[in-house]
Amino acid sequence: MPELIIVTPEKQPGVATIQLNRPKELNALNLQLMGELRDALVELDANTNVRCIVIHGNQRAFAAGADIKQMADKTAIDMLMIDQFSTWDRIRKTRKPIIAAVSGFALGGGCELAMTCDMIIASESAQFGQPEIKIGVMPGAGGTQRLTRAIGKAKAMEMVLTGKFISAVEAERYGLVNRVVADEIYLDEAMKLAATIATMSPVAVMLAKESVNRTYETFLDEGLHFERKNFYLTFASEDQKEGMAAFVEKRAPVFTGK
Ligand code: CAA
């Protein structure tokens, strides 16, 4: 039984939900949670009663990123050997459509997880960001690739290089999310969208998802690989140790460029 997610295979006819459930840690995506998420998606993909999947967090956080405390002491080689992104690769191969219902923080790996899904419904209080730069690293789960494709180079570059967050309204304006709705109904809205998709031919839906993704997937593979190597390389720097230690110790980091 998963401990850090809640899976409901038939929340509505044809629609399964997965709730990320580490509320105290703002749903920080540690290795266990991501492993559970991968296993759940593999199972739901094989469950013929399920036609569409909704992933959500809670009102305060979709997910505030990869778990910094779990990564803080790691070396570049540790990161390479742990190979945490193989889990993400499997998630990306889910054949059924996945909708991210996002409220609150979707930061770092949280923003990347939302972008790995096929569509995003955001609540008015959702905030998106790639703040890795503030802790001496960079996005490693597809942020540089997917954000740039979604919102264009200028906006993506600013977010990745400054770590600034954007509001749900900005995210909609830039084309990152499908739509923004009131906090009270963001999950219902995602469920409605999922219900519509669940009435379509599951075969046609699967093939159509695959085809839309194919528009950039070959190139995406290369980009993800390139990003991943550079992310690991940041763990060879003193700045990564300083940035993550500063987060854990709740102080401002002092970066030296080493
Ligand atoms: N990893 C581990 N713990 C986290 C976390 C994270 N990404 N984000 C939040 N938490 C923890 C906090 O440490 C805190 O725990 P304690 O109560 O034990 O101190 C708890 O969640 C609540 O967080 P805050 O007290 O910080 O809440 P806040 O409202 O003051 O701030 C926030 C919210 C702005 C989201 C802030 O928590 C924050 O900046 N989080 C980190 C965001 C981030 O840098 N994400 C990128 C991670 S790296 C990554 O994702 C790499 C990749 O590409 C795969």
Side-chain angles (χ1 to χ4, degrees):
M1 281 299 279
E3 292 171 349
L4 303 180
I5 59 173
I6 299 170
V7 184
T8 313
E10 286 192 69
K11 181 81 171 183
Q12 262 176 208
V15 182
T17 59
I18 301 177
Q19 179 172 16
L20 311 176
N21 193 32
R22 286 186 85 200
K24 219 173 70 55
E25 295 83 5
L26 305 183
N27 291 333
L29 305 167
N30 66 8
L31 295 173
Q32 182 185 341
L33 189 154
M34 290 308 295
E36 290 179 5
L37 182 59
R38 174 206 49 211
D39 294 347
L41 287 169
V42 168
E43 246 176 62
L44 295 174
D45 226 11
N47 179 341
T48 49
N49 294 326
V50 175
R51 306 262 180 108
C52 190
I53 301 158
V54 173
I55 299 181
H56 64 99
N58 53 53
Q59 196 82 35
R60 185 164 178 229
F62 177 72
D67 192 319
I68 300 168
K69 292 167 189 167
Q70 198 169 51
M71 293 186 294
D73 297 336
K74 301 284 183 281
T75 65
I77 302 302
D78 292 336
M79 295 301 285
L80 193 69
M81 298 314 283
I82 291 168
D83 191 22
Q84 71 192 68
F85 299 121
S86 59
T87 322
W88 292 71
D89 289 337
R90 184 61 193 83
I91 289 171
R92 179 159 78 94
K93 295 207 160 54
T94 307
R95 299 172 91 188
K96 290 175 185 166
I98 310 176
I99 299 169
V102 175
S103 179
F105 298 114
L107 305 176
C111 187
E112 290 167 307
L113 178 61
M115 291 190 290
T116 303
C117 298
D118 301 304
M119 285 162 280
I120 304 176
I121 299 294
S123 82
E124 277 167 351
S125 62
Q127 295 186 72
F128 297 84
Q130 296 290 160
E132 291 90 344
I133 202 78
K134 293 187 187 165
I135 52 168
V137 295
M138 56 173 277
T144 64
Q145 305 301 302
R146 291 200 179 86
L147 191 64
T148 309
R149 283 169 172 79
I151 70 175
K153 177 180 164 183
K155 301 284 185 205
M157 194 67 94
E158 187 176 350
M159 286 176 70
V160 169
L161 297 190
T162 68
K164 91 171 199 159
F165 301 169
I166 57 169
S167 68
V169 171
E170 285 172 295
E172 185 183 31
R173 191 169 353 117
Y174 301 165
L176 181 63
V177 309
N178 291 65
R179 55 189 158 275
V180 184
V181 296
D183 287 359
E184 301 74 42
I185 59 161
Y186 79 98
L187 196 48
D188 293 342
E189 187 71 15
M191 294 303 287
K192 258 197 248 164
L193 177 58
T196 304
I197 293 166
T199 64
M200 308 297 169
S201 154
V203 177
V205 165
M206 186 186 80
L207 293 174
K209 165 174 169 161
E210 191 182 33
S211 302
V212 172
N213 282 337
R214 189 48 70 97
T215 53
Y216 64 88
E217 222 149 44
T218 316
F219 184 54
L220 180 67
D221 263 338
E222 265 172 50
L224 288 174
H225 187 67
F226 190 82
E227 178 196 77
R228 199 168 294 181
K229 292 288 176 207
N230 280 347
F231 175 73
Y232 292 152
L233 195 56
T234 62
F235 282 74
S237 71
E238 288 174 19
D239 282 348
Q240 173 270 327
K241 294 284 165 298
E242 166 63 9
M244 292 196 173
F247 175 82
V248 174
E249 292 157 19
K250 300 182 189 291
R251 60 174 174 80
V254 181
F255 293 128
T256 60
K258 295 208 176 93

